[in-house]
Amino acid sequence: MSQAMRNPVGAEPVVRASRDTSLSRRRLRTWIRLLRATHRTEQQLREFLRLRYDTTLPRFDVAAALYRSERPMNMSELSLMLLVSNGNTTTVVSRLEKDGLAERRLDPADRRGVLVSLTEAGRAWFAEVAEAHEAEVNALLAGFGHEELDSLRDLLRHMEGASDDPSV
């Protein structure tokens, strides 16, 4: 069963699942809602990056990891950090390198290894794109105030089993 919540005049009633709905079913519905929200937001960000900067989300993610790194990274580290295959990372790094945004060089500690880092142009490009990306995320989540963001963060942390570090 479900019960209607009061809404402003003329609005459709909000229907909430009652306690009669199984917890398992409610968890499934919540998971689907999380997937929808994530997919919709990610698609909007992909489109933003494509239209405004002629780039992709994977290129942005690789550049972000390299930008944050205090030192050049080997491809395996980068792949692990991004949770993608070495092949995917190599393809993205090759495109960044072709565009003059990243560079590869032999790892002096491992002659078989390659280190990758952003070029100065890559760092400048990423700083510009990251600022615009933050503004776009801010616009996408503009409906959330401090309290809602704190609640959402805490729920997601609980779901992940993460620590209570408020900086995350």
Side-chain angles (χ1 to χ4, degrees), residues 40-83:
R40 186 177 330 114
T41 304
E42 185 177 310
Q43 286 306 109
Q44 289 172 307
L45 287 172
R46 284 179 189 278
E47 190 70 1
F48 167 78
L49 290 170
R50 185 182 69 79
L51 292 175
R52 184 137 173 225
Y53 291 96
D54 191 29
T55 196
T56 64
L57 194 53
R59 287 183 68 186
F60 178 83
D61 290 342
V62 168
L66 294 172
Y67 188 85
R68 285 190 310 264
S69 179
E70 308 259 332
R71 58 180 176 67
M73 299 177 74
N74 70 42
M75 298 297 273
S76 295
E77 281 179 295
L78 193 52
S79 295
L80 258 172
M81 178 183 278
L82 299 171
L83 305 174

mmCIF file of all heavy atoms in Angstrom, residues 40-83:
data_model
loop_
_atom_site.group_PDB
_atom_site.id
_atom_site.type_symbol
_atom_site.label_atom_id
_atom_site.label_comp_id
_atom_site.label_asym_id
_atom_site.label_seq_id
_atom_site.Cartn_x
_atom_site.Cartn_y
_atom_site.Cartn_z
ATOM 1 N N ARG A 40 22.030 10.320 -15.729
ATOM 2 C CA ARG A 40 21.562 11.609 -16.246
ATOM 3 C C ARG A 40 22.612 12.699 -16.023
ATOM 4 O O ARG A 40 22.936 13.453 -16.941
ATOM 5 C CB ARG A 40 20.241 12.010 -15.575
ATOM 6 C CG ARG A 40 19.615 13.258 -16.153
ATOM 7 C CD ARG A 40 18.269 13.616 -15.540
ATOM 8 N NE ARG A 40 17.497 12.481 -15.079
ATOM 9 C CZ ARG A 40 17.203 12.231 -13.796
ATOM 10 N NH1 ARG A 40 17.596 13.043 -12.852
ATOM 11 N NH2 ARG A 40 16.502 11.173 -13.462
ATOM 12 N N THR A 41 23.169 12.764 -14.844
ATOM 13 C CA THR A 41 24.177 13.770 -14.530
ATOM 14 C C THR A 41 25.435 13.552 -15.357
ATOM 15 O O THR A 41 26.006 14.494 -15.911
ATOM 16 C CB THR A 41 24.508 13.734 -13.023
ATOM 17 O OG1 THR A 41 23.303 13.908 -12.285
ATOM 18 C CG2 THR A 41 25.497 14.816 -12.646
ATOM 19 N N GLU A 42 25.865 12.307 -15.460
ATOM 20 C CA GLU A 42 27.063 12.002 -16.243
ATOM 21 C C GLU A 42 26.854 12.357 -17.715
ATOM 22 O O GLU A 42 27.751 12.917 -18.357
ATOM 23 C CB GLU A 42 27.422 10.522 -16.106
ATOM 24 C CG GLU A 42 28.712 10.162 -16.798
ATOM 25 C CD GLU A 42 29.095 8.712 -16.586
ATOM 26 O OE1 GLU A 42 29.097 8.257 -15.431
ATOM 27 O OE2 GLU A 42 29.400 8.049 -17.592
ATOM 28 N N GLN A 43 25.684 12.067 -18.250
ATOM 29 C CA GLN A 43 25.402 12.408 -19.649
ATOM 30 C C GLN A 43 25.438 13.917 -19.868
ATOM 31 O O GLN A 43 25.950 14.394 -20.876
ATOM 32 C CB GLN A 43 24.048 11.839 -20.093
ATOM 33 C CG GLN A 43 24.060 10.357 -20.321
ATOM 34 C CD GLN A 43 25.143 9.923 -21.299
ATOM 35 O OE1 GLN A 43 26.125 9.312 -20.907
ATOM 36 N NE2 GLN A 43 24.991 10.246 -22.559
ATOM 37 N N GLN A 44 24.911 14.668 -18.923
ATOM 38 C CA GLN A 44 24.939 16.128 -19.040
ATOM 39 C C GLN A 44 26.376 16.644 -19.002
ATOM 40 O O GLN A 44 26.731 17.556 -19.754
ATOM 41 C CB GLN A 44 24.092 16.772 -17.939
ATOM 42 C CG GLN A 44 22.606 16.547 -18.165
ATOM 43 C CD GLN A 44 21.763 17.019 -16.994
ATOM 44 O OE1 GLN A 44 21.996 16.637 -15.857
ATOM 45 N NE2 GLN A 44 20.779 17.847 -17.298
ATOM 46 N N LEU A 45 27.202 16.062 -18.147
ATOM 47 C CA LEU A 45 28.604 16.477 -18.078
ATOM 48 C C LEU A 45 29.371 16.081 -19.334
ATOM 49 O O LEU A 45 30.201 16.846 -19.839
ATOM 50 C CB LEU A 45 29.284 15.898 -16.834
ATOM 51 C CG LEU A 45 28.870 16.541 -15.522
ATOM 52 C CD1 LEU A 45 29.437 15.765 -14.342
ATOM 53 C CD2 LEU A 45 29.289 17.991 -15.467
ATOM 54 N N ARG A 46 29.094 14.889 -19.858
ATOM 55 C CA ARG A 46 29.730 14.464 -21.113
ATOM 56 C C ARG A 46 29.395 15.442 -22.239
ATOM 57 O O ARG A 46 30.268 15.854 -23.007
ATOM 58 C CB ARG A 46 29.272 13.064 -21.512
ATOM 59 C CG ARG A 46 29.887 11.955 -20.723
ATOM 60 C CD ARG A 46 29.339 10.585 -21.178
ATOM 61 N NE ARG A 46 29.762 9.534 -20.302
ATOM 62 C CZ ARG A 46 30.951 8.931 -20.379
ATOM 63 N NH1 ARG A 46 31.817 9.292 -21.307
ATOM 64 N NH2 ARG A 46 31.266 7.979 -19.534
ATOM 65 N N GLU A 47 28.126 15.802 -22.326
ATOM 66 C CA GLU A 47 27.687 16.724 -23.378
ATOM 67 C C GLU A 47 28.325 18.105 -23.187
ATOM 68 O O GLU A 47 28.758 18.741 -24.140
ATOM 69 C CB GLU A 47 26.159 16.821 -23.359
ATOM 70 C CG GLU A 47 25.575 17.535 -24.534
ATOM 71 C CD GLU A 47 25.695 16.768 -25.855
ATOM 72 O OE1 GLU A 47 26.223 15.638 -25.881
ATOM 73 O OE2 GLU A 47 25.276 17.335 -26.870
ATOM 74 N N PHE A 48 28.386 18.582 -21.969
ATOM 75 C CA PHE A 48 29.021 19.861 -21.660
ATOM 76 C C PHE A 48 30.482 19.859 -22.120
ATOM 77 O O PHE A 48 30.936 20.787 -22.793
ATOM 78 C CB PHE A 48 28.926 20.134 -20.151
ATOM 79 C CG PHE A 48 29.807 21.248 -19.684
ATOM 80 C CD1 PHE A 48 29.446 22.573 -19.886
ATOM 81 C CD2 PHE A 48 31.010 20.976 -19.049
ATOM 82 C CE1 PHE A 48 30.271 23.613 -19.461
ATOM 83 C CE2 PHE A 48 31.837 22.003 -18.626
ATOM 84 C CZ PHE A 48 31.461 23.323 -18.832
ATOM 85 N N LEU A 49 31.234 18.826 -21.755
ATOM 86 C CA LEU A 49 32.644 18.751 -22.128
ATOM 87 C C LEU A 49 32.813 18.642 -23.642
ATOM 88 O O LEU A 49 33.707 19.257 -24.227
ATOM 89 C CB LEU A 49 33.322 17.562 -21.438
ATOM 90 C CG LEU A 49 33.506 17.688 -19.931
ATOM 91 C CD1 LEU A 49 33.953 16.357 -19.325
ATOM 92 C CD2 LEU A 49 34.493 18.794 -19.585
ATOM 93 N N ARG A 50 31.933 17.897 -24.287
ATOM 94 C CA ARG A 50 32.015 17.733 -25.738
ATOM 95 C C ARG A 50 31.742 19.046 -26.461
ATOM 96 O O ARG A 50 32.501 19.455 -27.337
ATOM 97 C CB ARG A 50 31.021 16.665 -26.202
ATOM 98 C CG ARG A 50 31.114 16.349 -27.693
ATOM 99 C CD ARG A 50 30.081 15.316 -28.113
ATOM 100 N NE ARG A 50 28.722 15.829 -28.051
ATOM 101 C CZ ARG A 50 28.175 16.625 -28.981
ATOM 102 N NH1 ARG A 50 28.871 17.012 -30.023
ATOM 103 N NH2 ARG A 50 26.932 17.035 -28.857
ATOM 104 N N LEU A 51 30.667 19.714 -26.068
ATOM 105 C CA LEU A 51 30.276 20.939 -26.766
ATOM 106 C C LEU A 51 31.179 22.125 -26.449
ATOM 107 O O LEU A 51 31.531 22.898 -27.331
ATOM 108 C CB LEU A 51 28.827 21.295 -26.426
ATOM 109 C CG LEU A 51 27.768 20.340 -26.967
ATOM 110 C CD1 LEU A 51 26.389 20.732 -26.453
ATOM 111 C CD2 LEU A 51 27.795 20.299 -28.487
ATOM 112 N N ARG A 52 31.534 22.266 -25.195
ATOM 113 C CA ARG A 52 32.288 23.466 -24.803
ATOM 114 C C ARG A 52 33.793 23.331 -24.995
ATOM 115 O O ARG A 52 34.473 24.304 -25.283
ATOM 116 C CB ARG A 52 31.966 23.803 -23.353
ATOM 117 C CG ARG A 52 32.615 25.069 -22.886
ATOM 118 C CD ARG A 52 31.721 25.937 -22.072
ATOM 119 N NE ARG A 52 32.466 27.040 -21.524
ATOM 120 C CZ ARG A 52 32.372 27.454 -20.289
ATOM 121 N NH1 ARG A 52 31.512 26.891 -19.474
ATOM 122 N NH2 ARG A 52 33.098 28.455 -19.860
ATOM 123 N N TYR A 53 34.314 22.098 -24.827
ATOM 124 C CA TYR A 53 35.765 21.917 -24.870
ATOM 125 C C TYR A 53 36.226 20.860 -25.882
ATOM 126 O O TYR A 53 37.411 20.551 -25.930
ATOM 127 C CB TYR A 53 36.299 21.568 -23.474
ATOM 128 C CG TYR A 53 36.192 22.744 -22.557
ATOM 129 C CD1 TYR A 53 35.107 22.894 -21.700
ATOM 130 C CD2 TYR A 53 37.144 23.759 -22.584
ATOM 131 C CE1 TYR A 53 34.987 24.000 -20.886
ATOM 132 C CE2 TYR A 53 37.035 24.866 -21.769
ATOM 133 C CZ TYR A 53 35.952 24.978 -20.926
ATOM 134 O OH TYR A 53 35.832 26.086 -20.126
ATOM 135 N N ASP A 54 35.302 20.322 -26.648
ATOM 136 C CA ASP A 54 35.627 19.299 -27.634
ATOM 137 C C ASP A 54 36.487 18.195 -27.017
ATOM 138 O O ASP A 54 37.510 17.786 -27.559
ATOM 139 C CB ASP A 54 36.342 19.920 -28.847
ATOM 140 C CG ASP A 54 36.459 18.927 -30.000
ATOM 141 O OD1 ASP A 54 35.588 18.038 -30.121
ATOM 142 O OD2 ASP A 54 37.436 19.037 -30.773
ATOM 143 N N THR A 55 36.069 17.749 -25.837
ATOM 144 C CA THR A 55 36.800 16.688 -25.150
ATOM 145 C C THR A 55 35.811 15.686 -24.579
ATOM 146 O O THR A 55 34.600 15.851 -24.702
ATOM 147 C CB THR A 55 37.736 17.275 -24.064
ATOM 148 O OG1 THR A 55 38.683 16.264 -23.687
ATOM 149 C CG2 THR A 55 36.981 17.757 -22.839
ATOM 150 N N THR A 56 36.353 14.650 -23.968
ATOM 151 C CA THR A 56 35.530 13.579 -23.413
ATOM 152 C C THR A 56 35.733 13.481 -21.905
ATOM 153 O O THR A 56 36.733 13.982 -21.370
ATOM 154 C CB THR A 56 35.909 12.226 -24.051
ATOM 155 O OG1 THR A 56 37.265 11.916 -23.684
ATOM 156 C CG2 THR A 56 35.753 12.260 -25.566
ATOM 157 N N LEU A 57 34.804 12.814 -21.263
ATOM 158 C CA LEU A 57 34.931 12.597 -19.826
ATOM 159 C C LEU A 57 36.159 11.743 -19.498
ATOM 160 O O LEU A 57 36.885 12.064 -18.544
ATOM 161 C CB LEU A 57 33.648 11.986 -19.264
ATOM 162 C CG LEU A 57 33.480 11.993 -17.763
ATOM 163 C CD1 LEU A 57 33.656 13.376 -17.162
ATOM 164 C CD2 LEU A 57 32.106 11.428 -17.390
ATOM 165 N N PRO A 58 36.468 10.684 -20.255
ATOM 166 C CA PRO A 58 37.697 9.937 -19.953
ATOM 167 C C PRO A 58 38.963 10.799 -20.071
ATOM 168 O O PRO A 58 39.871 10.683 -19.240
ATOM 169 C CB PRO A 58 37.702 8.811 -20.993
ATOM 170 C CG PRO A 58 36.260 8.602 -21.304
ATOM 171 C CD PRO A 58 35.633 9.970 -21.252
ATOM 172 N N ARG A 59 39.028 11.681 -21.062
ATOM 173 C CA ARG A 59 40.191 12.574 -21.189
ATOM 174 C C ARG A 59 40.262 13.504 -19.983
ATOM 175 O O ARG A 59 41.338 13.763 -19.443
ATOM 176 C CB ARG A 59 40.111 13.390 -22.473
ATOM 177 C CG ARG A 59 40.401 12.569 -23.707
ATOM 178 C CD ARG A 59 40.387 13.415 -24.943
ATOM 179 N NE ARG A 59 41.526 14.319 -24.879
ATOM 180 C CZ ARG A 59 41.755 15.281 -25.739
ATOM 181 N NH1 ARG A 59 40.943 15.483 -26.743
ATOM 182 N NH2 ARG A 59 42.807 16.059 -25.622
ATOM 183 N N PHE A 60 39.116 14.018 -19.565
ATOM 184 C CA PHE A 60 39.065 14.886 -18.387
ATOM 185 C C PHE A 60 39.550 14.123 -17.158
ATOM 186 O O PHE A 60 40.347 14.640 -16.369
ATOM 187 C CB PHE A 60 37.643 15.416 -18.174
ATOM 188 C CG PHE A 60 37.500 16.272 -16.961
ATOM 189 C CD1 PHE A 60 37.823 17.622 -17.004
ATOM 190 C CD2 PHE A 60 37.054 15.740 -15.764
ATOM 191 C CE1 PHE A 60 37.702 18.426 -15.873
ATOM 192 C CE2 PHE A 60 36.925 16.523 -14.626
ATOM 193 C CZ PHE A 60 37.246 17.867 -14.685
ATOM 194 N N ASP A 61 39.084 12.883 -16.986
ATOM 195 C CA ASP A 61 39.461 12.082 -15.815
ATOM 196 C C ASP A 61 40.956 11.779 -15.783
ATOM 197 O O ASP A 61 41.590 11.864 -14.728
ATOM 198 C CB ASP A 61 38.665 10.776 -15.784
ATOM 199 C CG ASP A 61 37.194 10.991 -15.470
ATOM 200 O OD1 ASP A 61 36.827 12.065 -14.957
ATOM 201 O OD2 ASP A 61 36.398 10.068 -15.747
ATOM 202 N N VAL A 62 41.525 11.419 -16.931
ATOM 203 C CA VAL A 62 42.967 11.146 -16.993
ATOM 204 C C VAL A 62 43.742 12.420 -16.681
ATOM 205 O O VAL A 62 44.680 12.413 -15.876
ATOM 206 C CB VAL A 62 43.366 10.562 -18.363
ATOM 207 C CG1 VAL A 62 44.890 10.568 -18.535
ATOM 208 C CG2 VAL A 62 42.833 9.140 -18.508
ATOM 209 N N ALA A 63 43.344 13.526 -17.286
ATOM 210 C CA ALA A 63 44.023 14.799 -17.025
ATOM 211 C C ALA A 63 43.909 15.186 -15.553
ATOM 212 O O ALA A 63 44.871 15.691 -14.966
ATOM 213 C CB ALA A 63 43.458 15.897 -17.929
ATOM 214 N N ALA A 64 42.752 14.937 -14.956
ATOM 215 C CA ALA A 64 42.561 15.260 -13.531
ATOM 216 C C ALA A 64 43.524 14.458 -12.660
ATOM 217 O O ALA A 64 44.134 14.995 -11.733
ATOM 218 C CB ALA A 64 41.115 15.000 -13.116
ATOM 219 N N ALA A 65 43.653 13.177 -12.954
ATOM 220 C CA ALA A 65 44.565 12.329 -12.166
ATOM 221 C C ALA A 65 46.010 12.811 -12.322
ATOM 222 O O ALA A 65 46.756 12.894 -11.338
ATOM 223 C CB ALA A 65 44.435 10.872 -12.600
ATOM 224 N N LEU A 66 46.390 13.139 -13.543
ATOM 225 C CA LEU A 66 47.761 13.617 -13.780
ATOM 226 C C LEU A 66 47.986 14.989 -13.151
ATOM 227 O O LEU A 66 49.065 15.276 -12.630
ATOM 228 C CB LEU A 66 48.057 13.660 -15.284
ATOM 229 C CG LEU A 66 48.093 12.307 -15.983
ATOM 230 C CD1 LEU A 66 48.191 12.496 -17.495
ATOM 231 C CD2 LEU A 66 49.240 11.451 -15.450
ATOM 232 N N TYR A 67 46.981 15.827 -13.184
ATOM 233 C CA TYR A 67 47.081 17.172 -12.619
ATOM 234 C C TYR A 67 47.290 17.103 -11.102
ATOM 235 O O TYR A 67 48.075 17.857 -10.532
ATOM 236 C CB TYR A 67 45.815 17.955 -12.952
ATOM 237 C CG TYR A 67 45.858 19.420 -12.607
ATOM 238 C CD1 TYR A 67 46.404 20.340 -13.501
ATOM 239 C CD2 TYR A 67 45.334 19.888 -11.404
ATOM 240 C CE1 TYR A 67 46.437 21.694 -13.211
ATOM 241 C CE2 TYR A 67 45.360 21.238 -11.095
ATOM 242 C CZ TYR A 67 45.908 22.139 -12.001
ATOM 243 O OH TYR A 67 45.938 23.481 -11.705
ATOM 244 N N ARG A 68 46.559 16.198 -10.449
ATOM 245 C CA ARG A 68 46.653 16.055 -8.987
ATOM 246 C C ARG A 68 47.945 15.380 -8.537
ATOM 247 O O ARG A 68 48.371 15.540 -7.394
ATOM 248 C CB ARG A 68 45.470 15.242 -8.459
ATOM 249 C CG ARG A 68 44.178 15.988 -8.424
ATOM 250 C CD ARG A 68 43.103 15.209 -7.670
ATOM 251 N NE ARG A 68 42.966 13.837 -8.119
ATOM 252 C CZ ARG A 68 42.082 13.413 -9.007
ATOM 253 N NH1 ARG A 68 41.234 14.250 -9.544
ATOM 254 N NH2 ARG A 68 42.017 12.142 -9.351
ATOM 255 N N SER A 69 48.538 14.610 -9.432
ATOM 256 C CA SER A 69 49.723 13.852 -9.059
ATOM 257 C C SER A 69 50.914 14.782 -8.860
ATOM 258 O O SER A 69 51.145 15.707 -9.625
ATOM 259 C CB SER A 69 50.050 12.826 -10.144
ATOM 260 O OG SER A 69 51.209 12.113 -9.784
ATOM 261 N N GLU A 70 51.668 14.506 -7.836
ATOM 262 C CA GLU A 70 52.855 15.307 -7.523
ATOM 263 C C GLU A 70 54.031 14.927 -8.418
ATOM 264 O O GLU A 70 55.038 15.614 -8.438
ATOM 265 C CB GLU A 70 53.251 15.081 -6.059
ATOM 266 C CG GLU A 70 52.117 15.289 -5.085
ATOM 267 C CD GLU A 70 52.202 16.627 -4.405
ATOM 268 O OE1 GLU A 70 53.314 17.138 -4.267
ATOM 269 O OE2 GLU A 70 51.147 17.146 -4.017
ATOM 270 N N ARG A 71 53.892 13.841 -9.159
ATOM 271 C CA ARG A 71 54.992 13.333 -9.974
ATOM 272 C C ARG A 71 54.408 12.619 -11.190
ATOM 273 O O ARG A 71 53.230 12.278 -11.197
ATOM 274 C CB ARG A 71 55.841 12.364 -9.159
ATOM 275 C CG ARG A 71 55.013 11.206 -8.629
ATOM 276 C CD ARG A 71 55.804 10.201 -7.814
ATOM 277 N NE ARG A 71 54.950 9.179 -7.270
ATOM 278 C CZ ARG A 71 54.290 8.270 -7.952
ATOM 279 N NH1 ARG A 71 54.362 8.235 -9.243
ATOM 280 N NH2 ARG A 71 53.543 7.369 -7.354
ATOM 281 N N PRO A 72 55.238 12.375 -12.206
ATOM 282 C CA PRO A 72 54.755 11.582 -13.344
ATOM 283 C C PRO A 72 54.294 10.208 -12.859
ATOM 284 O O PRO A 72 54.829 9.666 -11.886
ATOM 285 C CB PRO A 72 55.980 11.477 -14.251
ATOM 286 C CG PRO A 72 56.829 12.647 -13.885
ATOM 287 C CD PRO A 72 56.609 12.856 -12.416
ATOM 288 N N MET A 73 53.323 9.652 -13.544
ATOM 289 C CA MET A 73 52.755 8.357 -13.146
ATOM 290 C C MET A 73 53.012 7.325 -14.227
ATOM 291 O O MET A 73 53.018 7.662 -15.414
ATOM 292 C CB MET A 73 51.240 8.485 -12.949
ATOM 293 C CG MET A 73 50.833 9.449 -11.873
ATOM 294 S SD MET A 73 49.024 9.594 -11.774
ATOM 295 C CE MET A 73 48.629 8.034 -11.009
ATOM 296 N N ASN A 74 53.181 6.059 -13.800
ATOM 297 C CA ASN A 74 53.246 5.025 -14.823
ATOM 298 C C ASN A 74 51.823 4.627 -15.205
ATOM 299 O O ASN A 74 50.860 4.938 -14.502
ATOM 300 C CB ASN A 74 54.123 3.832 -14.383
ATOM 301 C CG ASN A 74 53.508 3.003 -13.294
ATOM 302 O OD1 ASN A 74 52.318 2.701 -13.299
ATOM 303 N ND2 ASN A 74 54.326 2.613 -12.328
ATOM 304 N N MET A 75 51.699 4.000 -16.343
ATOM 305 C CA MET A 75 50.380 3.708 -16.898
ATOM 306 C C MET A 75 49.560 2.786 -15.978
ATOM 307 O O MET A 75 48.352 2.947 -15.868
ATOM 308 C CB MET A 75 50.520 3.079 -18.280
ATOM 309 C CG MET A 75 51.192 4.005 -19.277
ATOM 310 S SD MET A 75 50.252 5.494 -19.587
ATOM 311 C CE MET A 75 49.209 4.899 -20.871
ATOM 312 N N SER A 76 50.218 1.841 -15.324
ATOM 313 C CA SER A 76 49.486 0.934 -14.430
ATOM 314 C C SER A 76 48.901 1.683 -13.236
ATOM 315 O O SER A 76 47.764 1.436 -12.843
ATOM 316 C CB SER A 76 50.400 -0.193 -13.942
ATOM 317 O OG SER A 76 50.786 -0.988 -15.032
ATOM 318 N N GLU A 77 49.689 2.599 -12.655
ATOM 319 C CA GLU A 77 49.181 3.426 -11.543
ATOM 320 C C GLU A 77 47.959 4.224 -11.980
ATOM 321 O O GLU A 77 46.969 4.306 -11.272
ATOM 322 C CB GLU A 77 50.234 4.449 -11.107
ATOM 323 C CG GLU A 77 51.339 3.987 -10.236
ATOM 324 C CD GLU A 77 52.273 5.163 -9.953
ATOM 325 O OE1 GLU A 77 52.907 5.682 -10.883
ATOM 326 O OE2 GLU A 77 52.325 5.553 -8.763
ATOM 327 N N LEU A 78 48.082 4.824 -13.155
ATOM 328 C CA LEU A 78 47.003 5.644 -13.684
ATOM 329 C C LEU A 78 45.754 4.807 -13.916
ATOM 330 O O LEU A 78 44.650 5.201 -13.529
ATOM 331 C CB LEU A 78 47.483 6.302 -14.981
ATOM 332 C CG LEU A 78 46.673 7.428 -15.577
ATOM 333 C CD1 LEU A 78 46.375 8.527 -14.572
ATOM 334 C CD2 LEU A 78 47.407 8.001 -16.786
ATOM 335 N N SER A 79 45.913 3.632 -14.495
ATOM 336 C CA SER A 79 44.785 2.737 -14.740
ATOM 337 C C SER A 79 44.117 2.315 -13.435
ATOM 338 O O SER A 79 42.887 2.297 -13.336
ATOM 339 C CB SER A 79 45.241 1.483 -15.489
ATOM 340 O OG SER A 79 45.700 1.816 -16.764
ATOM 341 N N LEU A 80 44.938 1.983 -12.452
ATOM 342 C CA LEU A 80 44.405 1.585 -11.144
ATOM 343 C C LEU A 80 43.626 2.724 -10.495
ATOM 344 O O LEU A 80 42.542 2.518 -9.948
ATOM 345 C CB LEU A 80 45.536 1.166 -10.213
ATOM 346 C CG LEU A 80 45.749 -0.309 -10.017
ATOM 347 C CD1 LEU A 80 47.024 -0.565 -9.232
ATOM 348 C CD2 LEU A 80 44.575 -0.958 -9.366
ATOM 349 N N MET A 81 44.183 3.924 -10.560
ATOM 350 C CA MET A 81 43.541 5.072 -9.952
ATOM 351 C C MET A 81 42.181 5.349 -10.601
ATOM 352 O O MET A 81 41.211 5.696 -9.926
ATOM 353 C CB MET A 81 44.431 6.304 -10.083
ATOM 354 C CG MET A 81 43.815 7.570 -9.505
ATOM 355 S SD MET A 81 44.881 8.989 -9.768
ATOM 356 C CE MET A 81 46.007 8.770 -8.411
ATOM 357 N N LEU A 82 42.104 5.157 -11.905
ATOM 358 C CA LEU A 82 40.882 5.466 -12.656
ATOM 359 C C LEU A 82 39.935 4.274 -12.777
ATOM 360 O O LEU A 82 38.843 4.414 -13.313
ATOM 361 C CB LEU A 82 41.251 5.974 -14.050
ATOM 362 C CG LEU A 82 42.080 7.254 -14.066
ATOM 363 C CD1 LEU A 82 42.572 7.546 -15.476
ATOM 364 C CD2 LEU A 82 41.273 8.420 -13.525
ATOM 365 N N LEU A 83 40.388 3.106 -12.320
ATOM 366 C CA LEU A 83 39.588 1.888 -12.382
ATOM 367 C C LEU A 83 39.209 1.531 -13.818
ATOM 368 O O LEU A 83 38.071 1.151 -14.110
ATOM 369 C CB LEU A 83 38.331 2.002 -11.506
ATOM 370 C CG LEU A 83 38.552 2.366 -10.046
ATOM 371 C CD1 LEU A 83 37.233 2.594 -9.334
ATOM 372 C CD2 LEU A 83 39.369 1.292 -9.339
#
